[in-house]
DNA sequence: TATTGTTATACTCTATAACTATA
DNA sequence: TATAGTTATAGAGTATAACAATA
């Protein structure tokens, strides 16, 4: 039967065929790679995403930013507050609709975005180094379809 | 009513090209779909994964189970404890190595695994309904490569 | 000393509910 | 009433550190 000194191969065939499971494993590998490359003062991926969308859409409202990234209003608020704390984003009340808060990058925000993007791009390059350009685009398209977009 | 706004399209082209971002969105969509289909007494995906590996590898040690699924020992312990609490898994000290705890499914565990797998399979079918069998296999293979396996 | 497992803990992510202010 | 934003909070998921028992 089982010899303690001989490691038998583990059968994980069922889980290894599930897209949901493989998504979890791939996400974990991505998170670990970025975390290993980033220093304590570097922006997290979600922060780089937020700054990117604000940069491309100056004056975007918080709710629009959250909706674009799939983050709920209640979770968007503290994330934006943190970016404001760091001096990377300006919150300006809309002159037209007093409920809205319009977001703009500061100069420091633009600098931080540049550094954050460099980290992300290097990280993405590492993680997809074994994929051809065609495979990478294929993966992106399939993920968008799983995400319902 | 609010003023009908001329909604300008939001530019999210930069994030929409990042694999890491798309993985997060796809994972979120998967989690939401499973959560919507599962009742409060149904097993979570990670629990179904654990039961599946225990079923296919009777007597597997906790550490091996965690390593197989990419879960650390410290996080595996309470997850297994919960499955034991639910009466789905038996913990048996190894007769050969007193440090090891061998895991086996109970009869209730086998039943719960059947139900959990049904939910997962239906969920996976829904989420990949727009994909051909070839595309689904392609996605699985690409995710394994991102995960480094 | 190394390995297996446990407990405590902390931080992030995500979710709901209750609240304020404005439309 | 509906919408935008905030705060509090709770639950997973995941990370490290310290510890006990066994090899």
């Amino acid at each position: 039967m089982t010899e303690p000194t001989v490691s038998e191969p583990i059968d994980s065939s069922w889980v290894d065929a599930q897209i949901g499971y493989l998504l979890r494993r791939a996400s974990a590998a991505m998170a670990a790679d970025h975390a290993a490359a980033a220093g304590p003062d570097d922006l997290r991926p979600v922060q780089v995403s937020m700054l990117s969308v604000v940069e491309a859409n100056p004056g975007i409202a918080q709710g629009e930013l959250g909706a674009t990234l799939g983050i709920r209003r209640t979770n968007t608020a503290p994330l934006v507050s943190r970016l404001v704390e760091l001096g990377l984003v300006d919150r300006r009340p809309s002159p037209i609709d007093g409920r809205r808060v319009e977001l703009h990058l500061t100069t420091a925000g633009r600098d931080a975005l540049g550094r954050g993007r460099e980290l992300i791009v290097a990280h993405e390059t590492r993680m997809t180094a074994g994929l051809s350009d065609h495979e990478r685009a294929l993966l992106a398209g399939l993920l968008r379809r799983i995400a319902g977009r």
Side-chain angles (χ1 to χ4, degrees), chain A:
Chain A
M1 307 304 255
T2 306
E3 286 296 327
T5 53
V6 177
S7 65
E8 298 178 10
I10 302 293
D11 176 4
S12 59
S13 54
W14 193 83
V15 292
D16 274 329
Q18 309 305 317
I19 298 293
Y21 171 76
L22 295 170
L23 275 170
R24 181 178 78 75
R25 298 302 301 263
S27 293
M30 292 289 288
D33 179 84
H34 189 274
D41 291 342
D42 284 314
L43 296 176
R44 306 185 149 280
V46 64
Q47 294 176 310
V48 179
S49 296
M50 297 183 97
L51 293 184
S52 285
V53 173
V54 173
E55 184 202 40
N57 306 272
I60 191 174
Q62 272 194 207
E64 291 173 331
L65 172 61
T68 299
L69 297 176
I71 306 174
R72 291 168 183 253
R73 277 200 314 279
T74 128
N75 297 323
T76 304
L79 286 168
V80 171
S81 290
R82 179 63 183 150
L83 295 176
V84 172
E85 255 178 28
L86 293 170
L88 310 181
V89 164
D90 264 347
R91 267 194 184 114
R92 305 180 195 164
S94 164
I96 300 172
D97 184 337
R99 297 169 301 182
R100 294 170 72 92
V101 180
E102 299 184 346
L103 304 177
H104 296 264
L105 285 198
T106 64
T107 301
R110 240 169 289 275
D111 291 347
L113 174 55
R115 162 72 176 156
R117 272 183 169 159
E118 279 177 18
L119 273 175
I120 295 277
V121 168
H123 151 68
E124 292 259 335
T125 301
R126 278 192 304 273
M127 297 302 291
T128 61
L131 273 53
S132 68
D133 286 354
H134 173 68
E135 286 173 327
R136 195 191 171 287
L138 203 51
L139 175 57
L142 290 167
L143 289 175
R144 280 187 208 103
R145 287 160 71 187
I146 293 291
R149 286 128 41 82

